[in-house]
Amino acid sequence: MTRPVIIGNCSGFYGDRIAAAREMVDGGPIDVLCGDYLAELTMLILAKAQAKDPAGGFAKTFLTQVEDVLGTCLERGIKIVANAGGLNAAGLADAIRAVATRLGLTVAVAHIEGDDLRGDLSAIRPEVVGEPVSANAYLGGWGIAQALAAGADVVVTGRVTDASLVVGPAAWWHGWGLEDWDRLAGAVAAGHVIECGPQATGGNYPFLDEITDLRYPGFPIAEVAADGSSVITKHPGTGGLVSVGTVTAQLLYEIAEPAYLGPDVTTHMDTAVLGQDAEHRVTISGVQGSPPPSTLKVALNDIGGFRNTMTFVITGLDIEAKAARCESLLFEVLGGKDRFGSVDVRLLRFDTPDAEENALATAHLKITVMDPDPQVVGRAFSGAAMELALAGYAGFHTTTPPTSESAYGVYRPAAVPRTALEQVVVLPDGSRHVVADPPTGPAPTPPTLTPADLPDGPTVRAPLGRVCGARSGDKGGNANVGLWARDDAGHAWLRAYLTVDRLRELLGPEAADLRIERYELPTLRAINVVVHRLLGDGVASTARPDPQAKGLGEYLRSRTVDVPAALLD
């Protein structure tokens, strides 16, 4: 087939807009309906669900969407591809067949296996201690391609990379080979853009004035051509915006270094060239690829222990003194901090002097305790907090009543040799086939770029965000921030100004002792920043108020810096 394959996304996470599947199917022509349901935290959630019900472990909202659109997709020849299988892709495939039977439909369902490593952890490095509740390798798109080539109407997977949901259908449609590196890399770029749903179409976009239609954004579509180039768009008449800016933001999202390692190809994001083809149509071209590494990324989730949090509201005068008094009294009642595995104390200042409203005069003292023993951090902790109600600081109250403990998870990244596992596609007829691995190569070395000099001319104090956009998120315990300028002059200043030292200064005390990596992506007028360990052991365990660093980019944009006056004219 020579025309581009049209792939529409209907989910960016487990819990996303249920109606998106029907809207995507009815909104215009598509060849493939795909959906991403698996984040690092989701695997922990599904592991807990599977522990309660061994027949579970997959994203149940996907079944609701399938029931809604399956008949229409079969009638129009639209393939459905999703990673909603989580920890039980076979169980999800059976559930889809049951839905089809109930609807009186005949459907060919395939699924992918091989990512779940809980049966044998020996090859994972670093060596695994204990028994994680989930241990999944990130597989690629070739199993999906093989299933579609065998006639599957629906393909469900466990842990594949998010972009594989586009790579697999594109490789099947165009008949690509394992070593079509540039074509595969182009599909990875397109898949990375649409994997998070409306984040590519104006969602979470910093320049609100650019969004021409402020209704709920339409979900994104990737039209992937035979050469690997693509057009990112959305259905006519839907809300939001598809622009070079919205696509840039999503290309930078959680990629770490520009050489984006994947199971099928290493995608060099710093070679991507974007262009505004027409309204709500952005081209991605020029993406270069190279062989993937000999190892696969592995995500491990453990139950780390139990936690409890109490948040004390402090009002008006002497905020810091009241907070110190509260902390001192609380741990006096509890018998000291040493009885807990760990303690996190944060004074969150929202108060303003001479506030016009009561709420604007308040700060929050958030105290979190963690321990392997649930009784240590349960009602014994929150009950002690309430003993301060009449004996603590003036104006004492809390945001919640006493709470019970809850289990928290710990995320650990790891790797496994490809040779230690087999990716298997189970076709609709029940036959099992091993999916071939592509050739591999060494990890690429980042290019060396000449340091930039700050432009001459007068400067004024202004927020960083007047010059650049940002999008941020989490990669395990690391925070990832992509920043881009809207023109060449802004980019020249940005790459000269935002050194590692300057970034550390702008990020504030919490990043003072952390490792910061900075990468340049000139074709996108962008810089990507990785702040190691800002999130501790990941979203499920960190006590940081923004546990996935979603607001970190906007925080950076809010910082007042010396900006060349010419850039603000």
Side-chain angles (χ1 to χ4, degrees):
M1 301 182 187
T2 56
R3 72 167 177 85
V5 57
I6 305 173
I7 304 171
N9 170 280
C10 70
S11 177
F13 67 98
Y14 187 13
D16 207 351
R17 185 177 175 88
I18 289 286
R22 172 52 65 186
E23 292 167 357
M24 183 57 68
V25 168
D26 288 348
I30 60 170
D31 301 304
V32 180
L33 178 70
C34 76
D36 174 25
Y37 297 81
L38 301 183
E40 291 159 351
L41 177 62
T42 312
M43 302 305 286
L44 177 63
I45 293 171
L46 294 178
K48 291 180 179 180
Q50 192 178 49
K52 295 178 181 178
D53 177 10
F58 54 79
K60 294 184 178 180
T61 53
F62 174 68
L63 271 182
T64 303
Q65 292 177 305
V66 166
E67 185 165 0
D68 188 30
V69 302
L70 183 58
T72 306
C73 288
L74 291 173
E75 179 183 334
R76 299 179 187 172
I78 299 171
K79 304 294 186 179
I80 300 175
V81 178
N83 61 8
L87 296 173
N88 188 6
L92 177 57
D94 288 339
I96 293 169
R97 295 184 187 99
V99 167
T101 298
R102 189 167 68 251
L103 296 175
L105 302 171
T106 301
V107 62
V109 184
H111 72 274
I112 310 298
E113 297 179 353
D115 62 296
D116 193 339
L117 304 179
R118 288 177 293 183
D120 183 2
L121 306 171
S122 60
I124 298 175
R125 294 293 179 270
E127 186 176 348
V128 179
V129 178
E131 295 186 7
V133 296
S134 70
N136 296 82
Y138 283 69
L139 304 180
W142 286 110
I144 296 170
Q146 197 166 326
L148 293 172
D153 303 307
V154 181
V155 184
V156 291
T157 77
R159 181 69 275 185
V160 297
T161 65
D162 304 340
S164 297
L165 305 173
V166 169
V167 174
W172 156 69
W173 184 274
H174 294 301
W176 293 340
L178 290 174
E179 298 183 59
D180 283 331
W181 305 127
D182 291 350
R183 294 180 176 90
L184 292 166
V188 168
H192 185 68
V193 169
I194 74 168
E195 72 186 39
C196 286
Q199 278 200 165
T201 56
N204 296 344
Y205 189 60
F207 300 118
L208 293 175
D209 59 311
E210 293 183 10
I211 302 175
T212 52
D213 190 329
L214 294 175
R215 293 177 297 162
Y216 194 94
F219 275 60
I221 296 167
E223 301 173 359
V224 185
D227 64 356
S229 65
S230 63
V231 173
I232 306 300
T233 186
K234 62 187 182 70
H235 281 320
T238 57
L241 171 73
V242 181
S243 69
V244 168
T246 67
V247 174
T248 298
Q250 191 54 31
L251 271 178
L252 295 172
Y253 184 60
E254 299 179 350
I255 60 169
E257 61 187 88
Y260 189 55
L261 303 180
D264 299 320
V265 62
T266 296
T267 302
H268 299 269
M269 293 293 190
D270 53 349
T271 61
V273 177
L274 306 184
Q276 192 77 45
D277 185 51
E279 184 181 25
H280 304 309
R281 291 182 63 82
V282 172
T283 58
I284 305 176
S285 61
V287 183
Q288 297 176 16
S290 59
S294 59
T295 58
L296 298 174
K297 175 184 173 182
V298 175
L300 302 168
N301 279 296
D302 296 301
I303 298 298
F306 298 86
R307 66 191 295 172
N308 204 344
T309 298
M310 289 297 292
T311 301
F312 304 88
V313 181
I314 304 175
T315 307
L317 303 177
D318 306 320
I319 295 290
E320 293 183 4
K322 290 173 180 174
R325 172 72 170 158
C326 179
E327 181 181 350
S328 174
L329 282 177
L330 176 62
F331 287 104
E332 177 185 330
V333 171
L334 288 167
K337 293 182 180 180
D338 293 343
R339 62 175 299 188
F340 302 103
S342 65
V343 175
D344 184 273
V345 180
R346 297 172 185 261
L347 179 59
L348 309 176
R349 299 296 298 265
F350 312 123
D351 54 299
T352 57
D354 191 25
E356 294 183 358
E357 298 180 26
N358 192 155
L360 300 180
T362 61
H364 286 179
L365 179 65
K366 181 183 177 184
I367 300 181
T368 301
V369 292
M370 299 181 180
D371 199 84
D373 186 345
Q375 294 185 354
V376 170
V377 297
R379 293 281 178 167
F381 166 72
S382 57
M386 299 315 295
E387 291 185 25
L388 307 187
L390 302 180
Y393 58 87
F396 176 98
H397 60 288
T398 62
T399 59
T400 63
T403 55
S404 298
E405 76 286 348
S406 60
Y408 69 89
V410 172
Y411 169 82
R412 288 183 289 145
V416 66
R418 290 174 178 267
T419 53
L421 60 87
E422 283 186 342
Q423 182 180 180
V424 173
V425 56
V426 183
L427 297 179
D429 63 3
S431 60
R432 302 173 62 85
H433 303 268
V434 175
V435 179
D437 268 337
T440 61
T445 302
T448 301
L449 298 174
T450 304
D453 295 323
L454 279 172
D456 294 328
T459 62
V460 295
R461 298 291 288 174
L464 178 65
R466 296 290 176 257
V467 180
C468 69
R471 176 158 293 168
S472 57
D474 62 320
K475 294 295 285 184
N478 301 338
N480 190 108
V481 186
L483 303 109
W484 74 96
R486 292 190 278 186
D487 55 41
D488 290 339
H491 174 235
W493 174 79
L494 190 69
R495 68 179 293 251
Y497 187 79
L498 283 187
T499 63
V500 168
D501 288 341
R502 188 93 62 184
L503 285 160
R504 191 182 306 281
E505 174 188 339
L506 295 176
L507 287 167
E510 67 173 346
D513 299 319
L514 301 179
R515 181 161 65 99
I516 297 176
E517 292 178 313
R518 174 190 177 278
Y519 303 100
E520 295 189 17
L521 296 90
T523 63
L524 300 177
R525 300 193 187 108
I527 291 169
N528 204 51
V529 179
V530 181
V531 186
H532 288 260
R533 302 295 297 169
L534 183 72
L535 309 178
D537 290 320
V539 57
S541 64
T542 182
R544 190 176 186 272
D546 178 18
Q548 292 181 285
K550 299 296 187 183
L552 189 63
E554 288 304 291
Y555 171 63
L556 273 175
R557 293 183 70 240
S558 75
R559 298 304 310 271
T560 300
V561 298
D562 295 315
V563 177
L567 294 182
L568 302 178
D569 292 340

